[in-house]
Amino acid sequence: MTISENIKNRRDYLLEWLKPELEILPVAVYSDDNIVMVSYQESLICGVEILDESYRVFNVSDEWKEKTSYHCEQADDNTWFYYLESVDECISQCKMLVFFEAKKGNKSQSNVDKSGTSIEIMGKELEVVRKEFIGLNSVQSKRRAREPEYFKLYYANEFIGEIWDDPKGPTLWTNTVSIKDKSEAKILPRRVTTKTPDVLYLKESNSDAGFHYTMLISDFDKIPDAVRHLIHVIKGIDD
């Protein structure tokens, strides 16, 4: 996404002033195009979308909606959003919101409804990440009738990997790996399928496609962290 110089400057200013205001807490403040995200202990507290002439604070909880004096509107995911006119308002609101949510403890927003098929639950977990990174796109696919369904994952229109619906558990296939990933990955020889959950393997390939990395994910709840890591690798952010 191409953003104007005005929006970029306002985004950077917001980042510059938010980080020191929140440094006493385990808070991550980072940007994605014209969005500034604020996470507390890996849970997204809120995002700020920098618009041409205003700011949109989104992913606000029901409890904060009752606390803030600003008019809130409900989003499709049942969270709330509202608009602010100045960067000073954004800094103040984000700071108060983070301290408010920190007192409540970790948000349960990432604990998605586990009803439905495996592929449907995988889709819900991926939606958790898409709300944090608007550049993420997951495409549900199926190569052959007898093979399981899977999601192709793209970030900023760049392919970053696939997550398969496997009887043993969600399975990640990717070549989006960091230098550290490569150094720590175990080797999975040809024709060997047994994997320790949550361990990254370099898979020897029988095809012209070459080697790739794979990981059996032990629980659906761990899908968001796995995808966040892929996005961080693409963006050059150290985990």
Side-chain angles (χ1 to χ4, degrees):
M1 176 180 177
T2 302
I3 60 177
S4 69
E5 193 67 22
N6 171 53
I7 289 178
K8 179 179 181 298
N9 290 337
R10 288 162 55 218
R11 178 202 66 192
D12 293 346
Y13 184 88
L14 180 59
L15 281 170
E16 179 184 355
W17 284 95
L18 265 183
K19 288 181 177 180
E21 289 286 338
L22 299 173
E23 64 183 1
I24 63 173
L25 293 173
V27 168
V29 183
Y30 50 97
S31 65
D32 185 31
D33 292 326
N34 67 325
I35 305 287
V36 170
M37 267 86 70
V38 181
S39 295
Y40 173 71
Q41 294 182 342
E42 299 186 353
S43 293
L44 181 66
I45 295 294
C46 69
V48 180
E49 182 181 10
I50 295 89
L51 304 171
D52 288 333
E53 297 181 356
S54 62
Y55 301 82
R56 184 176 74 94
V57 180
F58 63 92
N59 197 65
V60 172
S61 65
D62 290 333
E63 295 90 342
W64 181 251
K65 179 248 182 183
E66 299 300 325
K67 293 288 185 180
T68 184
S69 59
Y70 293 92
H71 171 71
C72 296
E73 300 177 52
Q74 193 164 31
D76 292 339
D77 62 357
N78 294 322
T79 60
W80 299 85
F81 65 92
Y82 55 96
Y83 293 91
L84 304 172
E85 294 184 357
S86 73
V87 68
D88 290 338
E89 290 176 296
C90 278
I91 296 169
S92 175
Q93 283 288 295
C94 288
K95 183 178 178 180
M96 289 189 295
L97 203 162
V98 168
F99 278 94
F100 174 79
E101 295 293 350
K103 290 180 181 178
K104 288 168 44 183
N106 287 338
K107 295 172 73 177
S108 60
Q109 191 172 341
S110 62
N111 297 327
V112 304
D113 175 17
K114 296 300 191 298
S115 63
T117 64
S118 295
I119 197 71
E120 289 171 342
I121 298 171
M122 288 167 61
K124 295 174 185 178
E125 296 288 359
L126 290 171
E127 180 64 14
V128 171
V129 190
R130 192 197 64 76
K131 292 174 184 176
E132 299 177 29
F133 298 92
I134 60 175
L136 177 68
N137 185 29
S138 56
V139 180
Q140 189 170 336
S141 305
K142 189 176 180 71
R143 285 200 176 95
R144 302 177 185 88
R146 294 184 179 181
E147 290 188 352
E149 292 183 281
Y150 68 102
F151 285 95
K152 291 182 179 179
L153 305 177
Y154 299 86
Y155 181 74
N157 296 321
E158 182 173 351
F159 177 73
I160 59 174
E162 299 173 351
I163 292 187
W164 288 80
D165 178 17
D166 188 89
K168 297 178 182 178
T171 302
L172 172 68
W173 295 57
T174 185
N175 276 315
T176 304
V177 288
S178 66
I179 295 174
K180 182 179 179 182
D181 292 334
K182 292 180 180 179
S183 66
E184 296 181 351
K186 298 183 180 298
I187 301 296
L188 191 66
R190 297 179 184 180
R191 294 180 292 277
V192 175
T193 59
T194 302
K195 291 176 282 192
T196 301
D198 303 322
V199 173
L200 186 69
Y201 290 88
L202 175 61
K203 171 71 174 178
E204 295 181 348
S205 176
N206 295 316
S207 70
D208 295 335
F211 291 11
H212 60 267
Y213 292 84
T214 182
M215 182 172 68
L216 175 63
I217 301 174
S218 60
D219 191 278
F220 288 102
D221 287 339
K222 295 188 176 182
I223 290 176
D225 282 340
V227 177
R228 288 187 190 104
H229 179 71
L230 300 181
I231 295 174
H232 287 174
V233 172
I234 286 291
K235 293 171 67 67
I237 301 173
D238 293 331
D239 286 348

